[in-house]
Amino acid sequence: MDNRHRWRTIDIVIASVIAVAFGVIFWAWNTVWGVTEAAFAFFPPAQTLLYGVWLLPAVLGGLIIRKPGASLYTEAVAAIVSALLGSAWGATVIPQGLVQGLGAELAFAVLFYRSWKLPAALLAGAMTGVTAALFDFFVWNAKYALWDYRVPYALLTVVSGALLAGLGGWVLVKALAPTGVLDRFGPGRERALI
């Protein structure tokens, strides 16, 4: 592994901070998910438009840390924190987080961990949505009708991943970079070059 892919202590610390913060956000988002169910009673799969919030740390961790394993690490640790705080779905969110993190990780790997622009973020968000949808397809949604529920649910999860996690993660990184908090990472160094 070359030096640009070697994790520094600060990479581990910041990835962990992102993960813990999102683990708490997940815990709160579980409540939002529960109270919005009635609003989507007209077409229950549409609720997955809110799903991307659960996918955000995978994209955000990859965009900031920019090293192999960052997406997987941040999403998995966020899922563990969520489970420890009392997720409504129990410990099943831990393997779910691993699968979700793998989606963004695959997207960044396909780009050889060299592209961090908006298209890369959208791809990572969409791929995280794909892996999340696959997990849910077989674990949570196996009892539902294929074409009336599971397929639309999967497609909308990918859309939510691309928009909320991909675009949202990219916008969040762009908003944080000028503050100086990312100066020891790629986004901060890029800002310094402008």
Side-chain angles (χ1 to χ4, degrees), residues 165-177:
L167 178 61
W170 186 81
V171 166
L172 195 51
V173 168
K174 291 300 177 192
L176 286 172

Side-chain angles (χ1 to χ4, degrees), residues 23-40:
V24 174
I25 290 168
F26 287 178
W27 175 75
W29 199 248
N30 295 344
T31 302
V32 172
W33 184 269
V35 299
T36 60
E37 280 186 52
F40 294 97

Side-chain angles (χ1 to χ4, degrees), residues 123-144:
L123 176 63
M127 287 298 297
T128 304
V130 167
T131 55
L134 285 172
F135 184 91
D136 292 0
F137 198 88
F138 296 106
V139 175
W140 301 117
N141 298 334
K143 63 185 177 202
Y144 296 108

Side-chain angles (χ1 to χ4, degrees), residues 1 42 72 82-83 106 114 116 129 141 154 164 166 170 172 174 178 186:
M1 183 183 303
F42 69 97
L72 186 61
S82 174
L106 290 171
R114 292 179 189 249
W116 311 106
N141 298 334
L164 294 181
W170 186 81
L172 195 51
K174 291 300 177 192

Side-chain angles (χ1 to χ4, degrees), residues 8-166:
R8 305 167 298 166
T9 302
I10 193 155
D11 297 329
I12 297 166
V13 170
I14 295 304
S16 299
V17 167
I18 292 167
V20 170
F22 271 93
V24 174
I25 290 168
F26 287 178
W27 175 75
W29 199 248
N30 295 344
T31 302
V32 172
W33 184 269
V35 299
T36 60
E37 280 186 52
F40 294 97
F42 69 97
F43 186 60
Q47 189 175 17
T48 60
L49 291 171
L50 305 175
Y51 202 120
V53 170
W54 284 310
L55 309 176
L56 239 167
V59 177
L60 194 60
L63 290 174
I64 292 172
I65 307 300
R66 298 184 175 184
K67 296 188 177 161
S71 294
L72 186 61
Y73 178 84
T74 52
E75 189 72 31
V77 173
I80 291 167
V81 170
S82 174
L84 290 173
L85 290 174
S87 168
W89 298 279
T92 306
V93 299
I94 297 170
Q96 187 171 18
L98 286 167
V99 169
Q100 292 167 347
L102 185 60
E105 201 66 52
L106 290 171
F108 292 128
V110 164
L111 299 170
F112 302 103
Y113 297 96
R114 292 179 189 249
S115 179
W116 311 106
K117 297 185 186 299
L118 180 57
L122 292 171
L123 176 63
M127 287 298 297
T128 304
V130 167
T131 55
L134 285 172
F135 184 91
D136 292 0
F137 198 88
F138 296 106
V139 175
W140 301 117
N141 298 334
K143 63 185 177 202
Y144 296 108
L146 181 66
W147 295 107
D148 293 341
Y149 189 91
R150 292 184 345 174
V151 169
Y153 179 103
L155 293 173
L156 292 171
T157 300
V158 173
V159 169
S160 182
L163 295 178
L164 294 181

